[in-house]
Amino acid sequence: MNQILLDSLRKITEEENAILHGSSSVQKKLYTSKKEFVIDNAKLLERGHLIELRPHTRFVHFPRHRHNYVEMVYMCSGTTTHIINDTDRIKLNAGDLLFLNQNATQEIFPAKEEDIAVNFIILPEFFDCALTMIERDNVLRNFLISTLSEDTSQISYLHFETKEILPIQNLIENMLWTLIDKKPNMNTINQITMGLVFMNLSAFGESIMKKHPGSYEQDLIFRILKYIETHYKSGTLADISTEIKLPNYQVSRLLKKYTGHTFKELLQQQKLQQAVYLLSQTNLSIDAVIGAVGYNNSSFFYRIFREKYGYSPGEYRKL
């Protein structure tokens, strides 16, 4: 990380100074006005902003809490240890990313002076905007964003090791600079940057998932969705079940649990999304598009395309 940026984030805050001079706990009034420890975005976000930055408070145990926003933790240097949902112990190392939605509970063990983490306070609608700027949609990016945006999600946190993924490191540093310097058009800049972060997490997702006991099903879902994204033309439930060494019924159960859809529905969703991309970005004939996404029954394709988008493929291309 850039040294100037790191030095800026290393500065002792007023709350940390109070802790170093005898305060034994975090100042809850800085985070919430309620009895239950739910950190309130209204205490941390400037009016009209969808995202804000706050360095993690060091030198003290941060007690169990939730947030009424999505939190993204980025580990700049050193380490921090988190207990998520009372059961999952996660150690963040430099370069790690941790996303928590509003369902997740979290407590954090005391951090030392060189253990520098930053918390991105993010309203859920921020991710909706990030999704719209992604031209080429896919089921994996949809899952990433819906996991963080919907409080009914079965996966309440996502943990990535991104130290070796230079594009993601650069994007996170760009967001840090923008938020620290209070640049104009901050929300727009960071929505676009977050969209790029998600595109890179989608591209590298299978290889950068942190391996810890609580991530087993999360890792499987990423592998299954990545398979659908790349094998939409001829992929089968049997093939992915064999690849991840699970029976068909268990793969189906995982998909239904975490996405609300069956393998067949997700495969069809990816085919249609790819068809839309080809219709809007290429001059391929409609018959060629149908073949390219793996359909050999044009009547069926026309029917499901119209059901999904309200237009025939030809009408959609003219929009």
Side-chain angles (χ1 to χ4, degrees), residues 85-286:
N85 298 331
D86 301 318
T87 57
D88 295 348
R89 183 187 180 105
I90 296 175
K91 183 178 181 179
L92 296 185
N93 298 302
D96 280 9
L97 276 175
L98 174 66
F99 292 89
L100 302 108
N101 73 9
Q102 296 177 48
N103 275 340
T105 63
Q106 176 190 31
E107 65 175 297
I108 310 164
F109 294 168
K112 299 176 182 178
E113 184 171 359
E114 296 305 313
D115 298 328
I116 302 170
V118 289
N119 303 323
F120 292 81
I121 295 93
I122 311 170
L123 295 185
E125 53 265 37
F126 178 90
F127 294 101
D128 295 335
C129 296
L131 179 58
T132 62
M133 56 79 60
I134 301 174
E135 286 187 7
R136 191 175 180 184
D137 219 355
N138 67 58
V139 291
L140 184 52
R141 284 197 291 272
N142 284 353
F143 173 74
L144 280 168
I145 293 178
S146 67
T147 297
L148 299 174
S149 300
E150 299 173 7
D151 59 9
T152 57
S153 171
Q154 293 288 334
I155 293 181
S156 57
Y157 69 93
L158 297 167
H159 184 196
F160 299 95
E161 184 179 59
T162 59
K163 182 178 181 179
E164 304 302 325
I165 312 298
L166 189 58
I168 293 178
Q169 294 294 306
N170 289 339
L171 289 165
I172 297 297
E173 284 202 29
N174 288 343
M175 292 180 71
L176 289 171
W177 279 118
T178 305
L179 290 163
I180 289 172
D181 290 348
K182 305 293 184 184
K183 298 289 187 183
N185 302 315
M186 182 182 69
N187 277 336
T188 301
I189 291 170
N190 286 307
Q191 284 167 349
I192 293 171
T193 305
M194 185 62 78
L196 294 171
V197 169
F198 272 92
M199 291 178 75
N200 278 278
L201 289 176
S202 172
F204 296 104
E206 188 176 334
S207 63
I208 62 178
M209 295 295 297
K210 277 292 284 185
K211 304 298 180 185
H212 56 85
S215 74
Y216 173 68
E217 289 190 351
Q218 180 179 316
D219 293 343
L220 287 176
I221 286 295
F222 264 73
R223 291 182 64 184
I224 297 166
L225 294 180
K226 191 67 178 178
Y227 172 87
I228 291 172
E229 180 186 339
T230 56
H231 296 82
Y232 60 85
K233 185 174 181 178
S234 57
T236 67
L237 178 59
D239 283 349
I240 184 57
S241 297
T242 299
E243 183 177 315
I244 64 175
K245 298 179 175 59
L246 287 177
N248 289 8
Y249 76 87
Q250 195 165 344
V251 174
S252 297
R253 186 181 298 168
L254 281 171
L255 286 174
K256 195 69 175 179
K257 177 181 177 181
Y258 290 111
T259 72
H261 296 284
T262 65
F263 179 87
K264 183 179 179 181
E265 289 169 341
L266 290 169
L267 199 69
Q268 179 171 292
Q269 178 184 335
Q270 187 63 42
K271 287 174 182 283
L272 290 175
Q273 290 169 345
Q274 179 67 9
V276 163
Y277 173 79
L278 294 174
L279 286 169
S280 60
Q281 301 295 323
T282 75
N283 294 319
L284 288 174
S285 69
I286 293 174

